[in-house]
């Protein structure tokens, strides 16, 4: 059946956009870098973005453990210190992508379960309860890291990744960003007079002004996060000093005021985190199994972030061996989290991957500079606490934009798929729907013993299912992967509909010469650790 184009234009009218294996329009790719002054400012901006999640998670878990502001400040400094190390290790020896290794929400459920355990009710002193709980969390993190190390370094993730097609990667990457929507506008609305101006100013600075100026010399979008945060932060300080929140409810004051975090007064001027600073770790089998589920979810969500970062770094698709290598170093990072006592595990930071898209700079060097800022401000606690005291609705406004960039990175993978195939439509639609619907069902239950969709006497088993099925990205990729590998596999068009033929050339490291540029290990280490 012929379809008329209309208008009688030239023969090239209404042609589909060509498929791009590397994202065009990126100013600096993974292996390139802007000038040092600009790279330093961009690195600081990445640090500013990642610290929000660290503060949010620490604010949730430390009070449950029995800690106060002093303990919270020390946990934040410890995580920043280890995050700096983990980011350097991942960018040097892991995937070699420009990813920041930040705090993971996946570990919150087992940590809450540990914190509410009856075995800690014997402690009267809150500080002693905090130390005992932290040591239990450390032990669980240390042993759960072995799961990531084995899956990564022994090549199990490489085997699975070779069967990952663009079709099954779309729900994975998309819900890696979209699944965090509860940390966006709902958190912004806790202080709408601060959060909404931040969102509006960020969009104006990053989108409208650069589009109106149309000058290569004005690169406002690169520093839009930094400028907007400074403007709105000053505005929030003025509101606080002027007494706008003096007689407001406590929840509003905590969200809006710039002097209620308690971090600045509680932080030390200089403090260097060190291994086993909270004491000798303790081990409990149920805690370990629960934490292993979180470690698995961290693998899945990090994989989605790695793929998004490779797109915004204008790199080719990640060879499965490199993905597996990155998972192995993720396990090393979780091991360091347990040794130092960060309070939670690590994952590839989604918001920082989104910042790569916003700035259009996917430089590895910029991320390594941000790691240096993490190490610097973790030791100089007072200075780091000033930045950590930014009102969380400002951070949530940033998330509304940065998470959206990761969502769009996932949707962009649809260009490799046949969208006219009903098989493709079913797999994508069903995986996305279940990826949002199933976690919503699990999240409706309170995280206390004997409550939840699964009612067994083994709390650790309940936690495992709660952790896995509370992760939108994990649910989505399980559904999409199973359907893609089993549905209509005998049909000759299935592989092309899934788009896997586009990624076939990257299945092995040496099949495409571009892999060497983006993913080869430094210092000629590929001779000793070859990628297969």
């Amino acid at each position: 059946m012929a379809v008329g184009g209309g208008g009688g234009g030239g023969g090239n009218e209404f042609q589909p956009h060509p498929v791009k294996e590397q994202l065009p329009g990126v100013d600096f790719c993974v292996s390139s870098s802007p000038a040092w002054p600009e790279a330093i400012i961009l690195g600081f901006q990445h640090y500013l973005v990642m610290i929000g999640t660290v503060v949010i998670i620490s604010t949730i878990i430390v009070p449950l453990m029995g800690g106060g502001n002093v303990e919270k400040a020390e946990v934040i400094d410890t995580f920043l210190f280890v995050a700096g190390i983990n980011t350097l290790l991942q960018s040097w020896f892991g995937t070699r992508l420009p990813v920041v290794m930040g705090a993971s929400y996946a570990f919150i459920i087992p940590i809450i379960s540990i914190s509410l355990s009856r075995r800690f009710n014997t402690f009267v002193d809150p500080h002693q309860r905090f130390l005992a709980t932290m040591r239990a969390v450390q032990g669980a993190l240390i042993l759960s890291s072995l799961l990531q190390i084995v899956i990564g370094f022994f090549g199990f993730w490489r085997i699975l990744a070779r069967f990952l097609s663009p079709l099954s990667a779309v729900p994975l990457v998309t819900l890696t960003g979209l699944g965090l929507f509860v940390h966006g506008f709902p958190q912004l609305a806790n202080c709408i007079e601060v959060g909404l101006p931040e969102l509006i100013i960020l969009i104006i600075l990053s989108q409208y002004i650069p589009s109106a100026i149309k000058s290569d010399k004005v690169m406002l979008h690169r520093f839009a996060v930094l400028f907007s945060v400074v403007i709105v932060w000053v505005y929030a300080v003025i509101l606080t000093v002027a007494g706008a929140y003096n007689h407001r409810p406590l929840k509003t004051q905590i969200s809006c005021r710039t002097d209620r975090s308690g971090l600045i007064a509680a932080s030390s001027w200089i403090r260097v985190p060190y291994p086993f600073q909270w004491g000798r770790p303790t081990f409990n089998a149920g805690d370990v199994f629960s934490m292993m589920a979180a470690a698995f979810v961290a693998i899945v969500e990090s994989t989605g972030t790695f793929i998004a970062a490779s797109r915004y770094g204008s790199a080719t698709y990640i060879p499965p061996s490199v993905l597996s290598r990155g998972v192995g170093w993720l396990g090393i990072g979780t091991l360091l989290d347990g040794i130092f006592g960060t309070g939670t595990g690590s994952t590839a930071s989604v918001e920082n991957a989104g910042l790569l898209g916003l700035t259009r700079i996917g430089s590895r060097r910029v991320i390594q500079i941000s790691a240096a800022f993490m190490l610097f401000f973790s030791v100089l606690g007072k200075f780091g606490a000033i930045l950590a005291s930014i009102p969380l609705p400002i951070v949530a406004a940033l998330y509304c934009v940065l998470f959206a960039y990761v969502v769009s990175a996932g949707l962009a993978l649809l260009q490799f798929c046949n969208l006219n195939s009903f098989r493709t439509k079913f797999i994508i639609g069903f995986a996305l729907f279940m990826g949002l619907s199933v976690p919503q069902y699990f999240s409706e239950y309170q995280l206390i013993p004997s409550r939840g969709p699964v009612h067994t006497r083994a709390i650790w088993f309940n936690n495992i299912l709660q952790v896995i099925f509370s992760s939108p990205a994990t649910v989505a990729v399980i559904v999409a992967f199973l359907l893609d590998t089993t549905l209509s596999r005998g049909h000759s068009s299935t592989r092309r509909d899934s788009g896997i033929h586009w990624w076939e050339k990257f299945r092995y490291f040496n099949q495409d010469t571009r892999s060497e540029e983006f993913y080869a290990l430094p210092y000629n280490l590929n001779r000793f650790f070859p990628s297969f």
Side-chain angles (χ1 to χ4, degrees):
M1 181 174 62
V3 179
N12 291 330
E13 271 195 301
F14 307 123
Q15 294 297 316
H17 295 287
V19 173
K20 298 289 185 180
E21 293 178 342
Q22 294 176 255
L23 181 66
V26 175
D27 296 330
F28 292 94
C29 69
V30 173
S31 54
S32 61
S33 176
W36 276 104
E38 185 178 351
I40 291 173
I41 298 175
L42 290 167
F44 178 77
Q45 193 170 234
H46 273 279
Y47 164 77
L48 192 65
V49 166
M50 68 83 61
I51 196 174
T53 302
V54 179
V55 174
I56 291 172
I57 293 180
S58 299
T59 302
I60 294 172
I61 64 174
V62 171
L64 291 176
M65 292 179 175
N69 285 336
V70 173
E71 288 81 4
K72 183 170 76 170
E74 292 176 348
V75 168
I76 291 173
D77 290 340
T78 301
F79 192 93
L80 288 176
F81 184 81
V82 178
I85 297 174
N86 289 340
T87 300
L88 290 175
L89 291 175
Q90 188 66 238
S91 63
W92 275 335
F93 308 115
T95 59
R96 301 277 289 155
L97 287 168
V99 292
V100 169
M101 303 308 294
S104 173
Y105 290 103
F107 292 86
I108 290 181
I109 293 175
I111 291 172
I112 291 178
S113 179
I114 294 172
S115 301
L116 298 180
S117 177
R118 295 177 182 177
R119 66 182 186 271
F120 300 117
N121 291 341
T122 57
F123 294 95
V124 178
D125 183 10
H127 181 68
Q128 292 301 318
R129 179 187 175 93
F130 168 79
L131 292 178
T133 307
M134 178 61 80
R135 290 195 291 266
V137 171
Q138 285 184 257
L141 284 172
I142 289 172
L143 291 184
S144 66
S145 69
L146 299 179
L147 175 70
Q148 296 174 326
I149 292 173
V150 169
I151 289 178
F153 288 138
F154 282 77
F156 294 108
W157 203 245
R158 177 185 66 215
I159 297 172
L160 288 174
R162 285 176 178 167
F163 294 96
L164 188 69
S165 69
L167 177 58
S168 52
V170 168
L172 167 61
V173 181
T174 301
L175 289 193
T176 296
L178 188 59
L180 298 171
F181 69 91
V182 294
H183 303 290
F185 197 85
Q187 297 296 325
L188 178 156
N190 287 335
C191 188
I192 197 72
E193 62 268 33
V194 171
L196 191 58
E198 168 63 31
L199 180 59
I200 294 173
I201 293 174
L202 177 60
I203 293 175
I204 292 174
L205 292 179
S206 65
Q207 307 299 326
Y208 283 94
I209 292 181
S211 176
I213 296 177
K214 295 181 180 179
S215 172
D216 294 336
K217 295 182 179 180
V218 180
M219 297 171 290
L220 196 59
H221 62 279
R222 294 186 182 179
F223 311 106
V225 167
L226 186 59
F227 289 152
S228 62
V229 167
V230 170
I231 292 170
V232 179
W233 194 9
V234 171
Y235 164 66
V237 170
I238 294 174
L239 290 179
T240 301
V241 174
Y245 306 111
N246 287 350
H247 304 292
R248 301 287 293 276
L250 179 61
K251 181 180 179 181
T252 301
Q253 293 193 40
I254 293 175
S255 298
C256 298
R257 294 182 68 97
T258 58
D259 58 358
R260 292 303 296 269
S261 68
L263 293 175
I264 299 176
S267 298
S268 305
W269 282 102
I270 298 178
R271 179 180 179 274
V272 180
Y274 55 92
F276 307 117
Q277 57 189 329
W278 313 113
R280 186 173 60 184
T282 59
F283 301 93
N284 178 278
D287 298 343
V288 172
F289 288 129
S290 300
M291 203 70 79
M292 280 185 174
F296 174 75
V297 170
I299 291 175
V300 173
E301 294 178 348
S302 293
T303 300
T305 306
F306 289 151
I307 295 174
S310 69
R311 290 296 294 174
Y312 287 131
S314 194
T316 53
Y317 177 67
I318 317 170
S321 60
V322 175
L323 265 178
S324 197
R325 191 174 71 197
V327 169
W329 282 101
L330 174 65
I332 297 296
T334 304
L335 177 63
L336 292 176
D337 291 331
I339 290 175
F340 280 84
T342 61
T344 186
S346 296
T347 189
S349 174
V350 179
E351 53 269 30
N352 289 92
L355 186 56
L356 299 177
L358 181 69
T359 60
R360 302 179 191 176
I361 295 180
S363 170
R364 184 189 301 124
R365 180 185 295 174
V366 169
I367 297 304
Q368 292 169 342
I369 292 174
S370 75
F373 278 111
M374 297 175 211
L375 295 171
F376 178 78
F377 284 113
S378 66
V379 174
L380 299 179
K382 290 287 186 184
F383 295 97
I386 294 174
L387 297 173
S389 63
I390 297 174
L392 294 181
I394 295 179
V395 177
L398 299 179
Y399 290 166
C400 290
V401 174
L402 301 180
F403 290 162
Y405 267 100
V406 176
V407 174
S408 62
L411 295 176
L413 298 177
L414 289 171
Q415 66 182 302
F416 301 109
C417 306
N418 179 13
L419 295 180
N420 293 316
S421 164
F422 278 92
R423 176 182 181 273
T424 300
K425 293 176 185 296
F426 168 69
I427 292 177
I428 291 177
F430 187 67
L432 289 175
F433 183 84
M434 297 303 290
L436 291 174
S437 186
V438 172
Q440 178 63 29
Y441 169 69
F442 275 80
S443 66
E444 290 176 354
Y445 292 85
Q446 295 180 352
L447 301 178
I448 58 176
S450 302
R451 294 292 299 275
V454 184
H455 302 279
T456 70
R457 294 183 179 180
I459 296 177
W460 61 269
F461 181 75
N462 300 343
N463 288 338
I464 288 176
L465 296 183
Q466 184 79 27
V467 169
I468 292 176
F469 292 106
S470 293
S471 168
T474 304
V475 173
V477 76
I478 290 175
V479 172
F481 187 84
L482 288 177
L483 290 175
D484 189 35
T485 54
T486 59
L487 182 61
S488 302
R489 293 302 296 176
H491 293 186
S492 58
S493 62
T494 296
R495 287 180 61 83
R496 297 190 63 85
D497 289 348
S498 299
I500 199 169
H501 60 286
W502 286 102
W503 288 357
E504 188 70 31
K505 67 181 69 175
F506 308 112
R507 190 176 186 185
Y508 296 95
F509 186 85
N510 295 326
Q511 279 187 277
D512 193 286
T513 56
R514 293 171 291 179
S515 298
E516 184 79 16
E517 175 188 356
F518 301 118
Y519 304 111
L521 291 174
Y523 315 120
N524 208 19
L525 289 176
N526 274 10
R527 295 183 304 168
F528 307 102
F529 304 100
S531 297
F532 298 101

